[in-house]
Amino acid sequence: MNGGAVRLVAVNGGLSEPSSTRMLIDRLAAAAADAFGERGVDADVRVIDLRDLAADLGHSMAVGFASGQARAALDAVESADALVVASPVFNASYSGLFKMFFDLVDVDAMAGKPVLIGATGGSPRHSMVLDHALRPLFSYLRAFVAPTGVYAASEDWAGTEPAGGAGLNGRIDRAAHELAGLVRPRGSSRCETPRPRVDDAPDDVRDRGPDVRQQTIEAAGIANFARLLGSS
């Protein structure tokens, strides 16, 4: 955690405007912030709409390294204490834009990161996307995925809420509290690999400012691209 607050980043993989996936993201993020608040912890929430990054993501995949707004979004995800993610269902899986974004993340930065997964679709029959696509993706990234995933079909937005917490509101609340329970302050009893901070860097690196990492990433990407050209 950072200064007593949780850095909570929500990634919206929805492509349309207005978007049911964005509505789900907003409700999940708000519920998670409330769950952290019940634990006496403030949540600094940032929402990333991948549709706004489509051009940067396409360029990043083509050249082998992220730049522009895509780089800033990836930095936010990699430094977050917890994530909320959701995608619409496309051909029984998440959207291509969603996959493109998480193909670019630093796998080591995702290790041990708590993640709440969600998805939207027209029919309840697509709900298995949570366990057959989203959960395996974040398991591969070595994230801690909250036990409850939240799928919202068209009928879930009708406003009726069945008893027993089985409706959309109940699932959102349960998942949000599970996510809050997965986040621990740095230095707590949970065993985790500490993430490097700017304050821990040598003086000469700190003095060079925040562009050092971007320059390093771009240099590595250019070198990789050059090797590919040389082998073609």
Side-chain angles (χ1 to χ4, degrees):
M1 294 188 187
N2 183 26
V6 172
R7 292 167 296 187
L8 178 63
V9 175
V11 180
N12 168 33
L15 304 180
S16 60
E17 182 62 41
S19 166
S20 61
T21 308
R22 176 60 195 255
M23 288 194 298
L24 179 60
I25 277 286
D26 287 341
R27 290 181 61 178
L28 290 171
D34 289 343
F36 283 117
E38 292 174 13
R39 294 169 173 262
V41 178
D42 293 330
D44 179 14
V45 181
R46 175 179 176 181
V47 179
I48 295 172
D49 293 305
L50 296 185
R51 68 190 298 271
D52 297 334
L53 307 178
D56 276 349
L57 288 174
H59 179 264
S60 297
M61 292 296 289
V63 300
F65 61 93
S67 60
Q69 294 183 14
R71 181 67 263 165
L74 289 165
D75 287 342
V77 164
E78 291 167 3
S79 64
D81 293 304
L83 301 178
V84 172
V85 304
S87 171
V89 177
F90 284 87
N91 293 331
S93 187
Y94 33 71
S95 69
L97 196 62
F98 188 89
K99 179 64 162 61
M100 191 183 300
F101 181 79
F102 282 102
D103 276 345
L104 291 168
V105 300
D106 181 350
V107 177
D108 290 334
M110 291 293 293
K113 193 183 300 293
V115 179
L116 192 169
I117 58 174
T120 59
S123 166
R125 291 177 298 174
H126 295 301
S127 63
M128 292 302 290
V129 70
L130 293 171
D131 292 324
H132 286 233
L134 283 159
R135 199 174 296 277
L137 170 63
F138 289 97
S139 294
Y140 171 78
L141 294 173
R142 293 180 285 154
F144 287 144
V145 184
T148 299
V150 181
Y151 177 82
S154 297
E155 62 194 52
D156 287 313
W157 304 106
T160 57
E161 188 74 10
L168 181 60
N169 290 337
R171 299 196 303 274
I172 288 174
D173 185 66
R174 183 168 66 250
H177 281 84
E178 290 172 354
L179 181 70
L182 288 172
V183 178
R184 297 288 185 272
R186 290 187 176 93
S188 67
S189 59
R190 191 185 78 180
C191 179
E192 62 181 7
T193 302
R195 299 188 187 115
R197 299 178 301 166
V198 173
D199 291 344
D200 297 330
D203 291 340
D204 61 331
V205 174
R206 291 203 305 269
D207 292 342
R208 283 182 285 170
D211 292 333
V212 172
R213 183 184 180 194
Q214 175 67 18
Q215 293 169 359
T216 302
I217 293 170
E218 291 184 1
I222 292 170
N224 181 57
F225 191 55
R227 285 196 298 271
L228 291 173
L229 288 175
S231 62
S232 61

